[in-house]
Amino acid sequence: TCEELGKEKPELSDEVWECFKNYTWPGNIREVRNIVRRACLLTGQNGIIGKEVLPEQLTSPSVPDPAEPEEETRDFADLDLKSASMMAESKHILDTLDKVHYNKTLAAKMLNIDRKTLYSKLKMFNIKV
């Protein structure tokens, strides 16, 4: 997955292994792939996937309060511009797809792009939905 995104294969930190083991994985294999893909994109130069790049549902046993704004915890300072841009774009696409329950036509409209463009971006980021 990471190699397909043009990144070297990172290692999982012990904290991440614990999060993976403790998570109930209510989604299917698609959820696992998307989380790993996202982690690869968010991982910096050190090559170790840390807990800070995982979605909150994996790291926090409690349900977040929807009244509180979601805080972006990732520091972009250790990423080059291209990686940061790709990471932000990929995350935005994944978040939008999640909001529309993976309806690609609706996601493309919300992203204000053509559906063909969305498909090519999904292919580029190796996002399979």
Side-chain angles (χ1 to χ4, degrees):
T1 299
C2 291
E3 291 90 0
E4 294 167 352
L5 297 171
K7 298 191 71 139
E8 289 187 32
K9 184 178 178 181
E11 293 181 33
L12 297 177
S13 70
D14 292 338
E15 289 179 316
V16 171
W17 275 116
E18 284 302 311
C19 290
F20 279 13
K21 287 191 286 187
N22 294 328
Y23 187 59
T24 59
W25 297 102
N28 56 21
I29 192 70
R30 206 179 293 168
E31 180 182 16
V32 176
R33 277 191 215 131
N34 287 337
I35 287 172
V36 170
R37 218 174 271 113
R38 177 178 188 244
C40 287
L41 284 169
L42 296 174
T43 297
Q45 301 279 338
N46 68 358
I48 298 173
I49 294 177
K51 190 176 175 180
E52 71 277 359
V53 300
L54 296 179
E56 190 174 354
Q57 73 261 25
L58 263 77
T59 60
S60 176
S62 63
V63 177
D65 182 357
E68 292 184 27
E70 192 173 306
E71 196 175 325
E72 187 65 42
T73 59
R74 179 70 178 135
D75 183 11
F76 287 92
D78 60 340
L79 297 176
D80 60 68
L81 185 59
K82 184 176 180 180
S83 295
S85 176
M86 287 178 62
M87 177 182 70
E89 186 175 6
S90 175
K91 182 180 180 333
H92 188 58
I93 290 170
L94 285 169
D95 290 346
T96 302
L97 283 165
D98 189 48
K99 283 179 187 174
V100 297
H101 306 287
Y102 298 92
N103 180 323
K104 293 176 196 136
T105 302
L106 189 53
K109 286 180 184 176
M110 287 182 69
L111 293 166
N112 197 26
I113 59 175
D114 187 72
R115 196 175 58 162
K116 288 181 181 180
T117 303
L118 176 60
Y119 278 101
S120 72
K121 288 186 180 292
L122 293 173
K123 184 176 182 179
M124 179 179 70
F125 293 123
N126 198 29
I127 299 172
K128 295 180 172 114
V129 292

